[in-house]
């Protein structure tokens, strides 16, 4: 029914698909929801089609929206990130009272969220940046929700968010307060970065299964369905089987073969890499996945020219492994290992961000929020939760005994797959970079000593000595007598 006078517990402004579905989700859970959209026609269309799902209040202006809400007012802003969010906030602030809560549920840049939270706090208002994952379906049926902002606002807002969130198998809501100011949007950003790496490494597995093992998409669909019953079980593996098994009605070909191989992106993966660079966090798998998307879609004419001019140089002695079940199993193990490293890199970035911004991020709790509702929901999140539970959390996910054991078992296959990809001229940037990250961590010495020596030679940047426990800085007089001096 449509309620005209009843005060609403929450208001939603911005009724595109995500905003409309979240509003419907709230209404289905028994809340009265005030609706607002710049175009009133969209509000009326939602009410005409879904008004029977719960209690709604129709409003035509932000003034009406604010007047329709109980105190403290809770207003969910679901408009395009950037300037539009600022415009809505600017219009709302004069209408609100101290203690009211403005919620940004879009994919906003976390530094914008930090700025907005500080500005609204100065006038007595709460600003909550909420990461929402799960797409249109999740918004309606239960997303993973990552709210940040003032913790005191969670007492009022949290129960409502938890009621509409996805539920893990143990019944726990996939929603919890993440931390102050921009913590929620930061965690959602890293979630999306991991999502980029996850999809890219699945794509690399698909290409290797086809180009090396000779499995056509329909055959691969069955392989991925089988993989989804074990340690690789996840939403992305599940839907990979669906996409690979789809036949194009127009041509009769596998749908994957009629889709242009140019991957788009909306920016959160790029933000993840940019922030990782600022933090000094080596998220190599995520970075390579972002670069792979850029390479796939940027300058198609250059790719076409490269196909004509650049030789593959593939060795003629490469063994044929078409139909080899052993190679298929190698790809499965390499895929699992690469996914573990991608998650480890994202979690390490969260640790560094927590130290940088003063957020006490609970990695076990964050992993628990990703178990249902979101795009990267996967069986391995249970392993991650166990790794970070209690007082003895590892410095890196890869150091957790269960993960170390899994990587040790997968390592020979992982190396064979990367070697095979190189031999066949098949790009596998995430398989390769995650293995390089693993090897870089475990090696007692890297090539950084030479890099630092070169820096000292051309720029007198100094170096430290392995036999000086004081960690003093030294410089060699390269343009002089090449004696060493203490800097």
């Amino acid at each position: 029914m449509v309620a005209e006078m009843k005060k609403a517990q929450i208001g939603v402004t911005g009724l595109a698909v995500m905003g409309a579905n979240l509003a419907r989700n709230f209404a289905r859970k028994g809340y009265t929801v005030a609706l607002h959209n710049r175009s009133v026609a969209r509000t009326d269309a939602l009410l005409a089609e879904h008004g029977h799902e719960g209690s709604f209040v129709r409003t035509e202006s932000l003034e009406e929206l604010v007047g329709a809400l109980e105190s403290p007012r809770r207003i969910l802003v679901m408009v395009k990130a950037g300037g539009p969010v600022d415009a809505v906030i600017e219009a709302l602030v004069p209408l609100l009272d101290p203690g009211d809560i403005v919620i940004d549920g879009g994919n906003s840049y976390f530094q914008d969220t930090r700025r907005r939270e500080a500005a609204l706090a100065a006038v007595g208002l709460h600003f909550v940046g909420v990461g929402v994952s799960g797409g249109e379906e999740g918004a309606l049926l239960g997303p993973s929700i990552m709210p940040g902002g003032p913790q005191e606002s969670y007492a009022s807002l949290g129960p409502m968010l938890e009621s509409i969130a996805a539920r893990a198998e143990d019944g726990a809501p996939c929603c919890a307060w993440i931390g102050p100011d921009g913590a929620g949007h930061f965690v959602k950003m890293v979630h999306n970065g991991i999502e980029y790496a996850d999809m890219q490494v699945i794509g690399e597995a698909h290409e290797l299964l086809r180009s090396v093992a000779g499995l056509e998409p329909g055959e691969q669909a069955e392989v991925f369905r089988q993989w989804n019953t074990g340690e690789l079980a996840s939403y992305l593996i599940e839907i990979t089987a669906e996409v690979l098994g789809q036949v194009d009605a127009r041509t009769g070909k596998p749908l994957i073969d009629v889709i242009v191989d140019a991957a788009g992106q909306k920016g959160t993966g790029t933000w993840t890499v940019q922030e990782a660079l600022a933090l000094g966090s080596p998220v190599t798998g995520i970075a390579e996945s972002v670069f792979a998307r850029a390479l796939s879609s940027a300058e198609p004419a250059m790719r076409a020219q490269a196909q004509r001019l650049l030789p593959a140089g593939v060795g003629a002695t490469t063994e044929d492994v078409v139909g080899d079940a052993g190679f298929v199993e190698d790809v499965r193990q390499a895929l699992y290992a690469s996914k573990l490293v991608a998650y480890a890199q994202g979690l390490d970035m969260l640790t560094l961000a927590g130290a940088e911004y003063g957020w006490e991020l609970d990695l076990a709790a964050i992993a628990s929020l990703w178990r249902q509702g979101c795009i990267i929901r996967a069986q391995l999140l249970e392993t991650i939760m166990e790794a970070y539970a209690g007082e003895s959390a590892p410095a890196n996910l890869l150091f957790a005994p269960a993960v170390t054991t899994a990587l040790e078992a997968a390592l020979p296959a992982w190396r064979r797959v990367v070697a095979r990809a190189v031999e066949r001229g098949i790009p596998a940037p995430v398989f390769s970079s995650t293995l390089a990250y693993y090897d870089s961590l475990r090696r007692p010495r890297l090539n950084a000593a030479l890099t630092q020596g070169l820096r000292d030679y051309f720029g007198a940047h100094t170096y430290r000595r392995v036999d000086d426990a004081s960690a003093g800085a030294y410089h060699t007089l390269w343009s002089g007598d090449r004696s060493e001096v203490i800097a």
Side-chain angles (χ1 to χ4, degrees), residues 124-146:
L125 300 173
H126 296 300
F127 185 78
V128 178
V130 176
V132 179
S133 179
E136 298 172 7
E137 181 177 304
L140 180 62
L141 302 179
S144 171
I145 305 177
M146 294 151 266

Side-chain angles (χ1 to χ4, degrees), residues 13 25 46 48 107 111 114 245 250 273-274 295 319 325 379 429 487:
T13 179
N25 194 344
L46 188 155
N107 270 335
Q111 292 287 21
R114 299 185 78 209
R250 187 184 306 179
V273 177
Q274 290 171 336
L295 194 152
E319 296 180 10
Q379 180 63 39

Side-chain angles (χ1 to χ4, degrees), residues 126-328:
H126 296 300
F127 185 78
V128 178
V130 176
V132 179
S133 179
E136 298 172 7
E137 181 177 304
L140 180 62
L141 302 179
S144 171
I145 305 177
M146 294 151 266
Q151 188 170 15
E152 56 266 35
S153 67
Y154 199 75
S156 169
L157 179 63
M160 298 182 68
L161 295 179
E162 291 177 11
S163 73
I164 69 164
R167 287 289 189 276
E169 290 185 3
D170 61 6
C174 293
C175 173
W177 182 71
I178 298 293
D181 53 73
H185 274 142
F186 190 96
V187 168
K188 174 57 166 47
M189 177 189 74
V190 173
H191 163 283
N192 285 19
I194 295 172
E195 178 186 311
Y196 273 54
D198 208 340
M199 284 192 281
Q200 173 63 26
V201 79
I202 289 171
E204 292 173 18
H206 154 67
E207 180 59 28
L208 286 162
L209 290 176
R210 193 171 201 181
S211 298
V212 179
L215 297 182
E216 291 303 311
E219 297 171 301
Q220 287 190 37
E222 294 306 313
V223 170
F224 276 93
R225 287 191 184 99
Q226 181 60 39
W227 286 356
N228 197 47
T229 64
E231 61 188 4
L232 277 173
S234 66
Y235 173 69
L236 285 172
I237 294 292
E238 175 188 341
I239 66 173
T240 295
E242 296 300 315
V243 173
L244 290 174
Q246 182 68 20
V247 175
D248 176 49
R250 187 184 306 179
T251 63
K253 297 178 180 179
L255 178 64
I256 195 73
D257 288 344
V258 300
I259 297 175
V260 174
D261 68 328
Q265 51 186 318
K266 292 187 175 180
T268 48
T270 301
W271 288 346
T272 304
V273 177
Q274 290 171 336
E275 290 306 317
L277 290 171
L279 291 167
S281 180
V283 293
T284 56
I286 296 172
E288 288 292 353
S289 68
V290 173
F291 296 147
R293 290 198 191 189
L295 194 152
S296 76
S297 55
E299 302 187 75
M302 183 181 294
R303 285 184 63 196
Q305 187 175 16
Q307 291 165 37
R308 296 192 304 271
L309 299 178
L310 300 182
V314 176
T317 60
T318 301
E319 296 180 10
D320 189 1
V321 296
V322 171
D324 185 346
F327 181 75
V328 174

Side-chain angles (χ1 to χ4, degrees), residues 282 284 341 344-345 348 395-399 407 414 433-446:
T284 56
V341 171
Q345 291 177 347
D348 184 58
N396 185 298
L397 175 64
L398 305 188
F399 305 159
L407 290 174
W414 199 4
S433 64
T434 51
L435 178 58
Y437 174 85
Y438 173 90
D439 283 332
S440 295
L441 282 179
R442 66 168 194 83
R443 292 277 292 181
R445 279 181 69 81
L446 302 173

